[in-house]
Amino acid sequence: MNKPFNHTLMMMRTLFKRDWIKYLIWVIALLAYAASGAGKFELAMNSKATAASMYSLFENPALVALFGPTAVKHATDFTAASAFGGIMPLMTVVVFAVVSIIYVVNRTRKEEDEGIAELLRSFQIGKLANTTAVVIELLLLHIIMSLALAGSLAAQHVAGMPLSSNLLFSFSIGAQGFLWGIVALVMMNIFPDAGGAKGASIGILGTLYILRMYSDIKAESLSWLNPLSWSYLTDAYVKDNWLPVILTLLLAAILLALSYLIEINRDVTAGYLPEGNGKAHAGFLLKTFTGFTLRQQRTATIGWLLGIFVMGITYGSMIGQIGNLIGSAGSNNYMSRAMGITEHATGNVMTQDFLMTVYLVISLLSVCFAVTSLQRIVSEERHNRLEQLYSMPLSRTKLYLTYTVIAWVLGALAQFIGILGIYLVQMGNKNALSFGTLLSGGMVSAIGTLFILGLLGLLIAYLPRLSSLIWAYIGFSFFIGVIGNMLNLSNNIMNLDIYHNLTKVTTKTVHALSKTATGYDLNVHVNSQIVANWSSFWMILILSLVFVIIGLIGYRRRDIISG
């Protein structure tokens, strides 16, 4: 038909009825994730000495690579507001950019793959009506989220955080979330399926993140060429520069026009990239259910493993510099807390403390990979694909356990790949750690991954439509594990993170006599190593297996869901 926007308002109403709960969760999650830390930073930076210590942390190249540079030039000008504005924008944007990408692709390309778009277009609904409805709702949602975030920050009355700066901080995040939704819109027109569109969009996001790590350290002026860097180049609470927000919205408008242009000229379910033909005959592994399940996740597996390997290399490159980094903080221990290093730690002990934090970050990334793998049970079930499998000689027990074991093995493999990255980049150091030492301390966290998969299994068995709630706990664990030490949270809160007490650093003092020309000297060496906290290890392992068994029982007894 010649009216591409016909019935756009009707499609908007339909979208809102379908997704209003998701919108509400989206807003609440943003407030809980981004706004909750403002008051904590104010409490943590309660003295000039602490502020100076934290400023040295933010100036460190390792932290610049992870979160971006700070606009503050002198430690005396560093405040809780500038610290919050320095560390939170990029973290928040990356999380909610992924959410925007997934939402847009699910409501556009995925509905084409499932035949819903073709059914709608058989009525008097314009070719661009659904796309326009998604774009308008995405824009309105991010405006509401930005206003709610600014209001939440203003309500905390943190010194140095005026309403104008809160609005800038919030709208920089909202604009980025909208931009990455539009990026996904372009990709969904180019790629022949929803999986390819999501992978390409998230791949672009990851590539820009890695590129900005280099530019922020080596050539900060180049960061202006990176759209992802615009999230923190606003310099909220310091310079309050609105130009990056304007550039973000301008780029989103250009990409939206491009998306409309390429969508209006393509057929429904088609993409501009050709779909692969595949092999004429299935291989041996593809003829088994395990091999079939692994084949479905091949592309995602490669992407996750590569990303975690790069993260391991990034953190591993910091191991030889830990002494210098902590020494730059002077007598204050803020940087030590931020990196998980105990007070008065020296030498090898300091390195092992830092590795505990590195293992935690890699574990959280690995468990995200494992969770996406296990959640395929619900995804396949809701699209009525499991009914075809159950018509064959395949039991529910085998299906549930196969997905669970594959998810855990992939999570453990990701953990291994991250540790391998750490080892390879530090193996040339003077006091390089052996691969066995790194493995013995790092792979213990795989039990934490099994625990979270057990929780997810319970949700899949008894509350399958709410299985995505597992992400709330993962987000909480990420916040506690990465930010908890910086904010000096209590042990009661820290212990809610399943990874917190899985390992510990043990130290052993060795006294040795060495003969010299004048007699004997007593040499004292302190050796430390990360080992499993066996009481916690066995308790979590048993609890995880119990969760898996209870989940299996529930899954075998419940009805199949759909839609």
Side-chain angles (χ1 to χ4, degrees):
M1 63 186 300
N2 296 324
K3 298 180 180 179
F5 300 101
N6 197 41
H7 288 308
T8 296
L9 292 179
M10 183 190 71
M11 294 301 298
M12 285 182 59
R13 290 194 297 269
T14 303
L15 277 174
F16 183 77
K17 289 179 181 179
R18 291 174 64 185
D19 295 334
W20 70 271
I21 295 179
K22 291 182 180 179
Y23 298 154
L24 182 61
I25 294 174
W26 209 333
V27 174
I28 293 174
L30 175 65
L31 297 181
Y33 186 82
S36 60
K40 294 291 187 180
F41 274 99
E42 187 178 36
L43 292 175
M45 298 177 61
N46 53 10
S47 67
K48 292 183 178 180
T50 303
S53 176
M54 190 170 185
Y55 178 72
S56 65
L57 170 67
F58 274 61
E59 283 286 284
N60 180 264
L63 268 293
V64 171
L66 292 177
F67 305 117
T70 177
V72 178
K73 301 303 180 184
H74 303 286
T76 54
D77 299 326
F78 199 67
T79 63
S82 57
F84 178 79
I87 200 171
M88 291 304 297
L90 185 59
M91 291 174 58
T92 309
V93 163
V94 169
V95 172
F96 287 92
V98 173
V99 175
S100 292
I101 289 169
I102 294 173
Y103 174 75
V104 168
V105 174
N106 285 349
R107 285 292 170 260
T108 54
R109 186 73 212 194
K110 191 174 182 180
E111 293 194 348
E112 290 188 30
D113 295 345
E114 295 170 356
I116 298 175
E118 188 173 8
L119 178 63
L120 291 173
R121 292 185 189 181
S122 65
F123 299 96
Q124 293 182 350
I125 295 176
K127 195 171 185 178
L128 299 178
N130 182 62
T131 299
T132 305
V134 170
V135 170
I136 293 174
E137 295 216 353
L138 190 69
L139 177 61
L140 292 176
L141 175 64
H142 281 91
I143 291 175
I144 293 172
M145 289 168 59
S146 299
L147 292 173
L149 178 57
S152 176
L153 292 171
Q156 297 182 55
H157 303 293
V158 177
M161 298 180 68
L163 179 60
S164 59
S165 297
N166 290 333
L167 286 170
L168 174 59
F169 173 84
S170 303
F171 274 94
S172 67
I173 293 174
Q176 283 283 329
F178 179 69
L179 170 63
W180 286 101
I182 302 303
V183 170
L185 205 61
V186 175
M187 293 299 108
M188 77 90 182
N189 283 295
I190 295 175
F191 283 82
D193 57 73
K198 289 179 185 176
S201 302
I202 296 175
I204 293 173
L205 178 66
T207 300
L208 291 181
Y209 184 90
I210 293 173
L211 290 175
R212 57 140 293 276
M213 292 173 72
Y214 173 82
S215 62
D216 284 349
I217 295 174
K218 299 294 184 180
E220 192 171 329
S221 59
L222 293 178
S223 295
W224 281 95
L225 301 177
N226 189 330
L228 185 60
S229 299
W230 297 342
S231 61
Y232 53 83
L233 289 176
T234 55
D235 295 331
Y237 309 111
V238 182
K239 297 180 180 179
D240 285 355
N241 185 1
W242 281 88
L243 178 59
V245 178
I246 297 172
L247 291 175
T248 302
L249 295 176
L250 181 61
L251 179 58
I254 294 172
L255 292 177
L256 177 59
L258 175 63
S259 174
Y260 277 159
L261 180 63
I262 59 180
E263 183 172 1
I264 201 70
N265 291 304
R266 72 172 177 88
D267 294 330
V268 63
T269 72
Y272 283 88
L273 292 180
E275 195 168 3
N277 293 325
K279 297 180 179 180
H281 302 283
F284 172 75
L285 288 178
L286 199 57
K287 296 178 182 179
T288 66
F289 179 65
T290 301
F292 174 73
T293 305
L294 288 171
R295 175 62 182 83
Q296 286 183 308
Q297 304 180 49
R298 182 179 64 179
T299 303
T301 298
I302 294 173
W304 275 101
L305 294 182
L306 180 60
I308 292 174
F309 180 71
V310 171
M311 185 61 70
I313 290 176
T314 302
Y315 276 110
S317 64
M318 298 168 57
I319 290 178
Q321 309 296 324
I322 291 302
N324 295 332
L325 301 186
I326 302 306
S328 67
S331 60
N332 300 297
N333 67 345
Y334 200 90
M335 182 181 287
S336 301
R337 294 205 314 268
M339 294 186 175
I341 296 172
T342 54
E343 192 173 0
H344 307 306
T346 58
N348 186 249
V349 179
M350 190 182 296
T351 300
Q352 297 297 324
D353 282 342
F354 173 67
L355 276 174
M356 291 268 287
T357 302
V358 175
Y359 290 154
L360 173 63
V361 174
I362 293 177
S363 298
L364 290 170
L365 291 174
S366 300
V367 80
C368 287
F369 175 34
V371 164
T372 59
S373 175
L374 185 55
Q375 277 190 317
R376 293 183 68 91
I377 292 183
V378 177
S379 175
E380 297 293 315
E381 187 175 358
R382 296 184 70 169
H383 292 98
N384 302 317
R385 297 180 187 130
L386 292 189
E387 292 182 1
Q388 302 176 43
L389 292 175
Y390 286 140
S391 66
M392 303 170 64
L394 176 68
S395 67
R396 287 196 177 195
T397 299
K398 182 177 180 179
L399 184 142
Y400 178 87
L401 291 179
T402 298
Y403 270 104
T404 300
V405 171
I406 286 176
W408 182 77
V409 169
L410 291 178
L413 177 61
Q415 185 84 8
F416 176 85
I417 291 296
I419 295 171
L420 178 62
I422 296 172
Y423 170 72
L424 292 177
V425 79
Q426 61 88 54
M427 62 186 297
N429 294 348
K430 181 180 179 181
N431 297 315
L433 299 171
S434 68
F435 192 45
T437 299
L438 291 171
L439 278 181
S440 63
M443 291 305 296
V444 177
S445 300
I447 298 301
T449 300
L450 181 60
F451 176 84
I452 293 179
L453 291 177
L455 288 178
L456 177 57
L458 292 177
L459 290 173
I460 291 173
Y462 299 98
L463 297 169
R465 297 184 187 276
L466 298 178
S467 60
S468 294
L469 288 176
I470 194 66
W471 292 108
Y473 180 72
I474 294 175
F476 171 80
S477 297
F478 181 84
F479 182 84
I480 292 298
V482 176
I483 307 296
N485 288 320
M486 296 177 64
L487 301 181
N488 202 22
L489 299 178
S490 66
N491 284 332
N492 291 333
I493 297 178
M494 297 292 287
N495 287 336
L496 295 176
D497 174 17
I498 193 64
Y499 295 102
H500 182 62
N501 284 319
L502 264 176
T503 55
K504 60 183 179 180
V505 177
T506 60
T507 59
K508 182 180 180 181
T509 303
V510 179
H511 298 82
L513 287 175
S514 61
K515 189 175 182 179
T516 65
T518 57
Y520 290 90
D521 287 340
L522 178 63
N523 297 317
V524 180
H525 302 280
V526 179
N527 297 323
S528 63
Q529 185 176 357
I530 298 175
V531 298
N533 189 342
W534 290 111
S535 59
S536 298
F537 178 92
W538 291 115
M539 181 179 67
I540 293 172
L541 175 60
I542 293 172
L543 197 58
S544 302
L545 294 176
V546 170
F547 286 169
V548 171
I549 293 171
I550 295 176
L552 172 61
I553 294 172
Y555 183 75
R556 291 182 59 187
R557 294 180 177 179
R558 73 165 173 84
D559 293 332
I560 295 177
I561 63 172
S562 62

